[in-house]
């Protein structure tokens, strides 16, 4: 099984690669704060190793001037890869959020795009069923928008997984021949979730959501999306999180009220990462509400996207 091969590969890398070993061992000491929103919780993780990602410059000029860290020739010599089908490779992420955190880049240097690659994401989740596979769009979280990649983290870490299962904030809109479409209520961020075992149908519905949403953001190379996929009990669960903005206003403040938070799939999955301790200590429940509201769509706007699809 792939999951076993990945676990073995992961353990081998931690033995061979000092930096990865050190960073994963430090993860045990990471500090967290929990915030309750009544029917769900969000936690904040203080993780200094993530500064590279949170503060990454992703404008075309900065991207063009740096060596791409996902291209094989630029990777650290200790970082081995596990080849998959579909011209992807699994790498151990040396700056982890999860106790098992993988980066899954394409073998070739090509733009971050999901429309024609969503099917691959489903395949990955299926073979890596102890992981949640996630995608950050080129303009909303990917720190290598020029090199197509997914990431994956061990399941059971992000609150959204259990929030979906316990059903307090997710509401079923439609169930039709092997696919369910869900929306979220009073969850601070608008999300469309799909569940089912019919791959073809999931790809089709995802395509419809994507195309509809693209009409809202015609100026972008693709509509801004974060996506999480897990495979459990022979079904896929897909959370599509449409985005309005890459970073909230707090990120750009130049005084002591700045919060260096750059939300992507994991943060919106309920695990907010703060690379700086001052932000970890300062952030309030109100800040979280405000940040999520700025960067995500609300329920009415999600309903608008879903119009015509249902
Ligand atoms: Zn590259």
């Amino acid at each position: 099984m792939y999951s076993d091969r990945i676990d073995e590969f992961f353990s081998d890398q931690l033995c061979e690669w000092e930096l990865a070993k050190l960073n994963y061992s430090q993860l045990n000491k990471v500090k967290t704060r929990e915030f309750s929103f009544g029917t769900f919780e969000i936690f904040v993780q203080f993780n200094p190793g993530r500064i590279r990602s949170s503060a990454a410059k992703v404008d075309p000029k900065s991207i063009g001037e740096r060596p791409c860290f996902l291209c094989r020739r630029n990777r650290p010599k200790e970082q081995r890869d596990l080849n998959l089908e579909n011209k992807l490779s699994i790498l151990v992420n040396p700056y982890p959020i999860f106790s098992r955190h993988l980066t899954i880049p394409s073998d070739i240097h090509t733009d971050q795009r999901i429309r024609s690659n969503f099917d691959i994401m489903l395949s990955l989740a299926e073979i890596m069923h102890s992981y949640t596979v996630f995608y950050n769009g080129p303009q909303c979280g990917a720190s290598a928008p020029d090199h197509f990649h997914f990431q994956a983290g061990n399941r059971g870490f992000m609150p959204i997984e259990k929030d979906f299962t316990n059903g307090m904030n997710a509401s079923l809109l439609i169930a039709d021949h092997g696919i369910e479409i869900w929306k979220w209520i009073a969850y601070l961020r608008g999300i469309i979730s799909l569940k089912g075992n019919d791959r073809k149908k999931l790809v089709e519905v995802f395509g419809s959501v994507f195309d509809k949403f693209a009409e809202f953001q015609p100026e972008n190379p693709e509509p801004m999306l974060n996506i999480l996929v897990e495979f459990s009990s022979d079904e896929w669960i897909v959370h599509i999180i449409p985005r309005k903005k890459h970073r909230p206003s707090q990120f750009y403040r130049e005084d002591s009220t700045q919060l260096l938070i750059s939300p992507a799939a994991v943060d919106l999955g309920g695990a907010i990462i703060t690379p700086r301790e001052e932000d970890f200590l300062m952030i309030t429940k109100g800040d979280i509400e405000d940040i999520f509201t700025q960067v995500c769509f609300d329920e009415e706007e999600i309903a608008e996207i879903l119009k015509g699809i249902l």
Side-chain angles (χ1 to χ4, degrees):
M1 275 309 287
Y2 258 107
S3 278
D4 295 339
R5 272 179 65 194
I6 295 166
D7 289 347
E8 199 180 315
F9 168 71
F10 192 87
S11 311
D12 288 350
Q13 278 278 271
L14 291 203
C15 290
E16 304 156 343
W17 188 6
E18 265 322 302
L19 173 75
K21 185 184 189 169
L22 177 71
N23 289 347
Y24 278 89
S25 71
Q26 284 179 344
L27 205 52
N28 296 327
K29 290 178 270 177
V30 91
K31 285 190 254 176
T32 56
R33 290 176 67 196
E34 284 183 13
F35 294 88
S36 174
F37 292 84
T39 51
F40 64 94
E41 283 180 0
I42 286 174
F43 70 86
V44 180
Q45 181 192 80
F46 168 45
N47 189 332
R50 297 298 299 177
I51 190 76
R52 286 160 197 78
S53 182
S54 293
K57 287 193 173 136
V58 288
D59 60 282
K61 186 167 182 287
S62 308
I63 290 295
E65 285 171 0
R66 61 101 171 94
C68 173
F69 60 91
L70 291 182
C71 277
R72 183 175 272 112
R73 66 177 178 279
N74 301 324
R75 292 179 203 155
K77 65 178 190 322
E78 299 90 342
Q79 188 173 39
R80 290 194 293 119
D81 55 46
L82 182 66
N83 284 101
L84 291 170
E85 295 156 21
N86 301 319
K87 298 191 169 62
L88 297 171
S89 296
I90 292 185
L91 310 176
V92 169
N93 188 326
Y95 302 105
I97 294 170
F98 300 80
S99 58
R100 281 177 291 143
H101 191 160
L102 307 169
T103 308
I104 309 168
S106 155
D107 292 340
I108 50 165
H109 184 86
T110 183
D111 285 341
Q112 181 79 329
R113 296 288 182 270
I114 194 61
R115 179 70 168 85
S116 58
N117 291 316
F118 180 69
D119 190 31
I120 298 175
M121 196 175 183
L122 296 181
S123 300
L124 276 179
E126 187 178 9
I127 60 170
M128 304 171 64
H129 48 78
S130 59
Y131 290 83
T132 293
V133 178
F134 54 99
Y135 173 84
N136 290 319
Q139 295 173 310
C140 55
S143 36
D146 54 340
H147 193 130
F148 178 64
H149 65 286
F150 296 106
Q151 292 184 69
N154 48 283
R155 276 173 55 194
F157 177 81
M158 284 180 280
I160 192 172
E161 296 168 16
K162 66 170 176 3
D163 293 340
F164 184 68
T165 315
N166 78 23
M168 302 275 275
N169 294 82
S171 157
L172 179 63
L173 282 173
I174 191 165
D176 179 29
H177 299 98
I179 188 165
E180 296 174 4
I181 303 178
W182 295 68
K183 67 168 184 173
W184 291 70
I185 297 156
Y187 198 55
L188 303 181
R189 61 282 199 200
I191 302 176
I192 299 162
S193 296
L194 313 177
K195 184 181 170 195
N197 57 15
D198 186 334
R199 171 196 292 268
K200 209 167 149 246
K201 204 132 197 187
L202 285 167
V203 170
E204 197 182 297
V205 174
F206 173 77
S208 305
V209 172
F210 181 100
D211 293 344
K212 181 77 189 174
F213 188 38
E215 292 171 14
F216 287 68
Q217 297 185 349
E219 70 286 9
N220 292 341
E222 73 172 23
M224 293 165 79
L225 294 172
N226 302 113
I227 307 167
L228 302 154
V229 182
E230 60 180 288
F231 188 79
S232 72
S233 309
D234 291 327
E235 284 190 311
W236 284 279
I237 297 173
V238 179
H239 303 301
I240 305 166
I241 312 174
R243 295 285 301 273
K244 263 185 184 164
K245 255 196 208 179
H246 177 207
R247 287 165 169 156
S249 57
Q250 286 87 341
F251 182 93
Y252 301 101
R253 287 181 190 160
E254 289 178 346
D255 56 19
S256 60
T257 66
Q258 185 193 33
L259 288 170
L260 204 74
I261 289 171
S262 187
V266 175
D267 308 80
L268 297 168
I272 296 176
I273 308 305
T274 55
R276 301 192 313 190
E277 191 166 28
E278 58 264 40
D279 303 328
F280 172 76
L281 296 172
M282 187 166 66
I283 193 168
T284 63
K285 209 174 138 174
D287 292 325
I288 295 172
E289 284 172 353
D290 182 45
I291 289 170
F292 278 24
T293 306
Q294 286 182 57
V295 303
C296 292
F297 283 71
D298 64 27
E299 286 163 31
E300 287 73 38
E301 291 163 325
I302 292 288
E304 195 61 35
I305 295 173
L306 283 170
K307 249 189 215 168
I309 292 169
L310 300 176

